[in-house]
């Protein structure tokens, strides 16, 4: 390799690597263990195999450090709780083990009690979930879970230079919730820091030089007490190892004056989410700190424009020398693993993309160019050419779509009548009982369904035979619901591989991968499509299946659509077009689908928007701008419905308190939400705000295999009725049922319907 000058070497690393495996090996091993098909030791062997493979990917790409501690059996926040010995009392039965972790996450494991799982919510503004830590004033922290230290030793024995990854103490406290009144969890910080000291001392004793300590809450506009708490935290933690304070997902310049006073040895910033912060940070950091520049986007799949990054970072390299590190913007957890597996993608599209394995190489190639390699500089120019040429690709831009979105007016987002009038017409048209029962949409994706889908895609099953099989599954779902005596039925979504990917396959403008799996939580993986061009609907997408289901019953069957903000949020979006513009394109396509469903005689249509809360910018001062266009996109999609057509929407695992006015502004006739894990706590948002429309608070947790008792459902509905009048309440599970089996599903729904009927009889006189 030739060089034009002698330049100090740029240290390279990433913030974390996907853990599930390119073929979802971890998912399948977890589920086998939960079913009792393999032993815990066999499960652990799969985890070790994947860790070694992923460390090999990082070393093979030329990274200087491998990330250790980014592997988790469910999610990394729960892993931190285990590390700290911080387990809810109901799950804490002696020395914690792997089954303890699974009981906290799922409410059930192969051993131990079946008890309520801990709350789960979204990791900042991503579709990754974490188990929420529960805090009480008497909490203690005890470092008794040895996974992190064992994995450090495991990587060292394999000959790797390791950089452990640790969720920081302030962020850990912020991400939890108080389980007692009149108690501030921030008061636990001194106690927590003692445990963190022990962790860092143990890592130092293992020969660790650098620890990546993640404090993503620094991207938020924190309350003063929380912002001030960092000073104490890092005074206490200073000394054992070098600390790389890691931030991501947004800029941190609003806290920069406090950050530069902390007792750490370096700072990582996300230059993909916020490139404008670079100059301010370079000017402010202490002279002995390293600056880790997160220039390769860990949250999207687009190839990095390395030539552009080289021109931006060259002056920074000249100023900082070896103090400049290069990295991914955030953990590559949010990216698929290996683009090389995608042999069926359009070749033009494929050359625009990079997955986790390729992103590691992007980091090292850019570093080599910054270090003066003429060959690497040329490679960067060549690597960037396709992504630069994309701007003028005919594949990307559709003039008709642009014209239609530019013609959007405020009137296009308004229903033909206000809610009060619509409600009157819907009561007359639908004739539903008090406390109507329904489900969220999906039913179990059985092995039979998956095999038939796989055989169809492989050409082993004809389209006609596949469609016949799907109609059989739909008929079965309708029959089961009628036997359970649900009031509003669903077709069960047997034809759908995923609530977003299904629509991505049918809408123009998306590319769909075969192996682009990304972990959402636990063993749940999703395969986000890639938005590559302007989006439009070429033909109806759901009408045939929904009308077939409706033909089988006299009861109402819901049309099931995924909303524009969720399709946007759960795909890899374009970076050359605003999120608002993309959402409007999707909204117009869905608007056409709503009109066609209605014309086909479907009277109830659900447009799911579970991602609307997670799409919020991290800074509260920017929320309203986002909420305005997100709400408007939903309303555009729904506004083709006539007043007597009832529009439902669904949201799950979100905190509604902060956005309750915008939730109401969606103007959906019925909203169903997840409230069971929080024991209806999320309904507090509706206590202070007089929500005007109908609402279905989820009455049992579908992510746990535990079957809700009738009394449990009854108690939750009674809690809901204290806040929402019975005449505006619906009874439903908290989410779709595709991950459950039929035995669990029917038992749970039977108890739900039994509770609803008893309460209906009891309350009928009260509301008459």
């Amino acid at each position: 390799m030739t060089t034009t000058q002698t330049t100090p070497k740029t240290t390279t690393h990433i913030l974390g690597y996907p853990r599930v495996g390119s073929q979802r090996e971890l998912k399948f091993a977890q589920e086998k263990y939960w079913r009792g098909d393999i032993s815990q030791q066999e499960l652990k062997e799969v985890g070790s195999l994947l860790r070694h493979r992923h460390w090999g990917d990082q070393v093979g790409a030329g990274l200087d450090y491998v990330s250790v501690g980014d592997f988790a059996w469910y999610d990394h926040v729960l892993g931190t709780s285990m590390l700290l010995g911080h387990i809810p009392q109901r799950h804490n039965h002696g020395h914690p083990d792997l089954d303890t972790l699974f009981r906290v996450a799922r409410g059930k494991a192969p051993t131990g009690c079946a008890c309520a799982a801990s709350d789960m919510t979204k990791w900042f503004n991503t579709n990754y979930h974490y188990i929420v830590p529960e805090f009480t004033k008497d909490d203690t922290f005890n470092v008794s879970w040895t996974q992190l230290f064992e994995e450090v030793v495991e990587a060292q024995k394999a000959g790797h230079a390791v950089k452990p990854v640790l969720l920081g103490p302030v962020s850990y406290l912020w991400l939890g919730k108080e389980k007692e009144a009149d108690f501030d969890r921030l008061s636990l910080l001194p106690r927590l820091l003692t445990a963190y000291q022990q962790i860092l001392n143990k890592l130092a004793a293992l020969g660790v030089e650098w620890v990546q300590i993640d404090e993503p809450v620094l991207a938020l506009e924190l309350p003063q007490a929380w912002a001030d708490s960092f000073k104490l935290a890092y005074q206490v933690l200073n000394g054992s190892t070098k600390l790389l304070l890691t931030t991501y997902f947004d800029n941190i310049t609003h806290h920069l004056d406090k950050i530069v006073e902390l007792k750490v040895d370096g700072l990582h910033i996300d230059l993909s989410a916020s490139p404008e912060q670079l100059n301010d940070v370079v000017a402010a950091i202490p002279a002995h700190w390293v600056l880790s520049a997160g220039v390769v986007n860990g949250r999207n799949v687009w190839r990095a424009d390395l030539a552009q990054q080289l021109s931006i970072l060259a002056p920074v390299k000249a100023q900082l020398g070896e103090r400049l590190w290069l990295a991914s913007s955030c953990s590559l957890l949010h990216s698929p693993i290996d683009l090389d597996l995608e042999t069926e993608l359009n070749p033009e599209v494929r050359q625009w993309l990079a997955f986790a394995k390729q992103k590691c190489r992007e980091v090292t190639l850019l570093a080599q160019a910054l270090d003066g390699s003429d060959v690497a500089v040329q490679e960067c120019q060549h690597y960037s050419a396709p992504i630069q040429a994309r701007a003028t690709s005919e594949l990307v831009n559709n003039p008709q779509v642009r014209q239609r979105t530019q013609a959007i007016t405020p009137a296009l987002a308004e229903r033909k009548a206000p809610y009060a009038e619509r409600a009157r017409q819907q009561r007359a048209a639908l004739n539903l009982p008090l406390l109507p029962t329904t489900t969220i949409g999906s039913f179990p994706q059985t092995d039979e369904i998956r095999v038939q889908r796989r055989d169809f895609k492989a050409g082993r099953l004809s389209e006609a035979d596949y469609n016949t099989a799907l109609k059989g599954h739909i008929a079965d779902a309708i029959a089961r619901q009628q036997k359970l005596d649900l009031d509003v039925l669903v077709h069960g979504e047997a034809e759908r591989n995923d609530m977003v990917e299904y629509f991505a396959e049918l809408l123009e403008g998306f590319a769909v991968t075969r192996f682009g799996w990304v972990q959402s939580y636990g063993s749940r993986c999703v395969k986000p499509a890639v938005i590559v061009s302007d989006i439009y609907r070429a033909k109806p997408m759901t009408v045939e299946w929904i009308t077939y289901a409706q033909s089988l019953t006299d009861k109402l069957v819901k049309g099931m659509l995924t909303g524009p903000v969720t399709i946007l949020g759960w795909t890899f979006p374009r970076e050359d077009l605003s999120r608002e513009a993309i959402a409007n394109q999707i909204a117009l396509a869905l608007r056409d689908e709503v009109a066609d469903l209605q014309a086909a005689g479907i009277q109830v249509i659900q447009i799911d928007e579970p991602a609307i809360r997670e799409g919020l910018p991290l800074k509260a001062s920017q929320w309203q701008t986002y909420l305005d266009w997100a709400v408007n996109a939903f309303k555009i999609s729904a506004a083709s419905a006539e007043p007597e057509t009832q529009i439902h929407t669904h949201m799950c695992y979100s905190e509604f308190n902060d956005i309750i006015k915008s939730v109401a502004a969606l103007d959906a006739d019925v909203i169903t939400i997840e409230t069971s894990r929080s024991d209806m706590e999320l309904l507090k948002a509706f206590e202070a705000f007089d929500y005007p429309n109908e609402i279905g608070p989820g009455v049992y947790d579908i992510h746990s295999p535990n079957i809700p008792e009738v009394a449990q459902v009854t108690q939750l509905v009674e809690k809901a009725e204290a806040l929402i009048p019975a005449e505006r309440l619906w009874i439903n599970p908290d989410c779709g049922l595709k991950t459950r089996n039929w035995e669990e599903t029917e038992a749970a729904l039977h108890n739900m319907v039994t509770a609803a009927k008893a309460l209906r009889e009891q309350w009928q006189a009260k509301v008459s």
Side-chain angles (χ1 to χ4, degrees):
M1 181 180 291
T2 60
T3 58
T4 56
Q5 60 182 354
T6 301
T7 306
K9 185 181 184 307
T10 303
T11 298
T12 56
H13 69 118
I14 57 171
L15 270 58
Y17 202 77
R19 58 185 73 119
V20 295
S22 59
Q23 306 293 329
R24 294 179 290 165
E25 293 92 329
L26 183 61
K27 165 193 172 65
F28 296 124
Q30 287 170 316
E31 292 174 352
K32 285 180 181 178
Y33 175 65
W34 295 337
R35 291 195 304 266
D37 295 342
I38 63 172
S39 68
Q40 190 173 115
Q41 181 57 37
E42 289 173 302
L43 173 62
K44 289 181 176 180
E45 288 170 1
V46 172
S48 178
L49 175 68
L50 290 172
R51 288 193 295 274
H52 282 278
R53 182 190 302 169
H54 299 154
W55 293 331
D57 289 347
Q58 294 168 61
V59 171
L63 295 174
D64 293 305
Y65 288 106
V66 300
S67 294
V68 179
D70 54 343
F71 180 85
W73 293 109
Y74 207 88
D75 76 81
H76 69 288
V77 180
L78 178 54
T80 304
S81 294
M82 293 290 290
L83 174 63
L84 295 165
H86 182 229
I87 306 301
Q89 193 58 44
R90 64 186 179 279
H91 302 113
N92 197 356
H93 306 292
H95 188 78
D97 61 7
L98 193 54
D99 278 2
T100 308
L101 182 150
F102 290 139
R103 287 195 296 274
V104 176
R106 305 175 68 242
K108 189 175 183 180
T111 65
C113 68
C115 41
S118 288
D119 200 5
M120 181 167 69
T121 194
K122 296 293 179 74
W123 173 251
F124 296 90
N125 56 356
T126 76
N127 190 29
Y128 179 70
H129 301 63
Y130 71 93
I131 300 298
V132 179
E134 301 174 11
F135 294 109
T136 68
K137 63 179 181 297
D138 296 324
D139 278 347
T140 59
F141 305 95
N142 178 32
V143 181
S144 55
W145 177 252
T146 58
Q147 178 184 342
L148 173 63
F149 313 112
E150 291 168 353
E151 290 174 7
V152 167
V153 172
E154 184 181 18
Q156 289 172 331
K157 285 183 176 178
H160 302 313
V162 304
K163 181 207 58 183
V165 177
L166 188 62
L167 179 61
V170 180
S171 291
Y172 177 71
L173 285 173
W174 176 270
L175 293 165
K177 64 178 183 180
E178 292 94 350
K179 294 293 288 184
E180 298 173 334
D182 302 321
F183 157 66
D184 181 0
R185 62 189 183 278
L186 186 57
S187 65
L188 296 172
L189 181 61
R191 225 177 292 169
L192 181 62
L193 292 175
T194 300
Y196 269 81
Q197 281 181 310
Q198 295 171 9
I199 294 167
L200 294 175
N201 289 339
K202 285 177 178 285
L203 292 172
L206 293 173
V208 168
E209 180 184 12
W210 281 94
V211 172
Q212 172 188 317
I213 192 157
D214 290 1
E215 292 285 10
V217 298
L218 282 166
L220 307 178
E221 292 166 335
L222 293 169
Q224 193 65 45
W226 285 86
D228 291 344
S229 69
F230 280 91
K231 184 174 184 179
L232 168 65
Y234 287 89
Q235 281 178 337
V236 172
L237 299 184
N238 177 51
S240 297
T241 63
K242 293 180 180 179
L243 297 180
L244 179 67
L245 182 68
T246 313
T247 66
Y248 37 83
F249 297 157
D250 207 336
N251 74 71
I252 46 84
T253 52
H254 56 303
H255 291 311
L256 191 55
D257 58 337
K258 289 183 170 64
I259 290 172
V260 297
E261 295 179 351
L262 300 179
K263 299 294 184 181
V264 296
D265 303 279
L267 175 67
H268 172 90
I269 56 174
D270 186 338
L271 293 176
S272 176
S274 181
E276 68 277 3
Q277 66 182 318
L278 177 61
N279 291 336
D280 289 338
V281 172
V282 170
I285 62 170
H288 65 284
W289 281 19
V290 302
L291 174 64
S292 172
V295 293
V296 171
N297 192 347
R299 289 187 57 174
N300 214 328
V301 292
W302 298 104
R303 177 179 289 201
D305 188 341
L306 297 183
Q308 180 187 51
Q309 294 295 344
L310 181 59
S311 66
I312 293 171
L313 290 175
V316 181
K317 177 66 177 179
Q319 180 176 345
L320 298 183
E322 65 182 3
R323 292 169 51 218
L324 178 65
W325 291 19
L326 287 188
S328 56
S329 62
C330 60
S331 172
L332 299 180
L333 167 72
H334 310 285
S335 171
I337 291 183
D338 190 1
L339 182 64
D340 290 343
L341 299 176
E342 302 299 332
T343 57
E344 298 178 12
L345 275 175
N346 179 321
E348 185 176 6
V349 171
R350 193 176 183 278
Q351 68 177 344
W352 298 335
L353 307 180
F355 292 178
K357 191 173 181 179
Q358 290 72 40
K359 289 176 186 292
C360 291
R361 178 57 185 152
E362 288 181 337
V363 172
T364 58
L365 180 57
L366 181 57
Q368 290 163 2
L370 284 170
D371 290 350
S373 165
D374 292 337
V375 172
V377 170
Q378 293 173 0
E379 284 189 41
C380 285
Q381 298 290 345
H382 177 73
Y383 189 83
S384 295
I387 203 71
Q388 293 171 348
R390 182 180 179 276
T392 56
S393 169
E394 293 183 0
L395 181 62
V396 173
N397 304 294
N398 185 304
Q400 289 77 26
V401 174
R402 298 295 177 95
Q403 290 170 8
R404 191 178 181 195
T405 54
Q406 289 167 4
I408 290 174
T409 63
L412 201 69
E414 299 303 323
R415 299 282 297 271
K416 294 179 181 178
Y419 169 73
E421 173 60 23
R422 300 198 310 266
R424 186 188 63 78
Q425 294 191 41
Q426 288 164 21
R427 281 193 293 272
L430 304 181
N431 194 31
L432 290 168
L434 182 70
L435 302 177
T437 56
T438 190
T439 64
I440 302 306
S442 60
F443 275 132
Q445 288 273 312
T446 63
D447 290 341
E448 183 182 12
I449 292 173
R450 293 190 179 99
V451 168
Q452 289 165 342
R453 182 181 297 125
R454 187 164 59 244
D455 287 347
F456 170 62
K457 289 186 175 182
R460 295 187 294 268
L461 189 65
S462 71
E463 183 174 5
D465 288 343
Y466 181 54
N467 288 343
T468 298
L470 290 176
K471 286 184 175 180
H473 294 302
I474 291 171
D476 177 60
I478 293 294
R480 290 175 189 260
Q481 291 172 86
Q482 291 195 119
K483 185 177 180 181
L484 288 163
D485 203 22
L486 287 157
D487 297 306
V488 176
L489 313 187
V490 296
H491 78 297
E493 303 181 10
E495 81 285 7
R496 304 186 189 185
N497 46 10
D498 176 81
M499 66 181 290
V500 172
E501 186 179 13
Y502 174 78
F503 290 97
E505 290 175 334
L506 296 173
L507 290 166
E508 301 298 321
F510 292 85
V512 178
T513 65
R514 287 191 65 202
F515 302 104
W517 296 103
V518 176
Q519 185 184 28
S520 182
Y521 61 87
S523 67
R524 171 74 169 140
C525 298
V526 295
K527 189 154 59 66
V530 184
I531 302 176
V532 297
S533 60
D534 290 331
I535 297 164
Y536 63 96
R537 188 193 74 144
K539 60 182 180 180
M541 302 176 287
T542 67
V543 175
E544 178 184 357
W545 302 115
I546 304 300
T547 53
Y548 172 71
Q550 185 63 81
S551 73
L552 302 174
T553 179
D554 292 332
K555 291 196 170 187
L556 296 165
V557 177
K558 283 192 287 189
M560 299 300 304
L561 304 175
T562 302
V565 178
T566 298
I567 291 178
L568 168 64
W570 291 358
T571 52
F572 293 115
R574 297 169 61 172
E575 295 180 339
D576 62 334
L577 198 64
S578 73
R579 295 173 71 227
E580 177 181 2
I582 299 170
N584 283 340
Q585 290 181 1
I586 301 170
L588 289 170
L590 294 173
R591 179 187 183 89
D592 296 341
E593 189 74 9
V594 167
D596 284 348
L597 282 168
Q598 182 177 249
I602 303 304
Q603 297 175 273
V604 181
I605 301 172
Q606 183 169 307
I607 307 173
D608 288 341
E609 280 293 23
I612 199 163
R613 172 62 177 82
E614 80 189 41
L616 282 172
L618 295 191
K619 293 177 173 57
S621 59
Q622 300 169 7
W623 283 7
Q624 197 56 52
T625 299
Y626 159 77
L627 288 168
D628 287 346
W629 66 252
V631 167
N632 199 62
F634 176 89
K635 293 176 68 177
I636 288 170
S637 69
S640 59
E642 296 295 332
E644 64 270 20
T645 298
Q646 191 173 73
I647 296 293
H648 290 222
T649 191
H650 172 68
M651 298 181 183
C652 56
Y653 299 104
S654 297
E655 298 290 342
F656 300 106
N657 303 51
D658 298 324
I659 64 165
I660 186 63
K661 290 183 180 179
S662 295
V663 171
L666 294 172
D667 198 27
D669 299 303
V670 181
I671 179 174
T672 55
I673 60 174
E674 178 278 322
T675 51
S676 62
R677 278 205 179 194
S678 66
D679 197 31
M680 293 290 166
E681 184 178 307
L682 290 179
L683 280 183
K684 289 181 180 178
F686 299 89
E687 186 173 16
F689 180 83
D690 186 16
Y691 186 76
N693 302 9
E694 297 178 37
I695 182 166
V699 295
Y700 77 90
D701 175 16
I702 67 91
H703 294 95
S704 172
N706 297 335
I707 306 301
E709 299 292 339
V710 172
Q712 177 188 346
V713 173
T714 300
Q715 182 182 35
L716 289 174
V717 176
E718 288 173 340
K719 281 189 174 184
E721 197 266 342
L723 300 170
I724 308 292
E727 57 268 29
R728 289 198 282 117
L729 273 179
W730 285 64
I731 310 299
N732 46 262
D734 64 5
C735 205
L737 294 157
K738 67 180 292 183
T739 60
R740 302 267 56 89
N741 62 45
W742 271 114
E743 182 181 2
E744 295 166 338
T745 295
E746 290 184 300
L749 290 178
H750 174 270
N751 289 353
M752 184 188 84
V753 171
T754 299
K757 286 182 174 180
L759 287 171
R760 183 181 299 159
E761 184 176 347
Q762 178 183 335
W763 291 350
Q764 190 66 58
K766 181 168 64 173
V767 301
S768 297

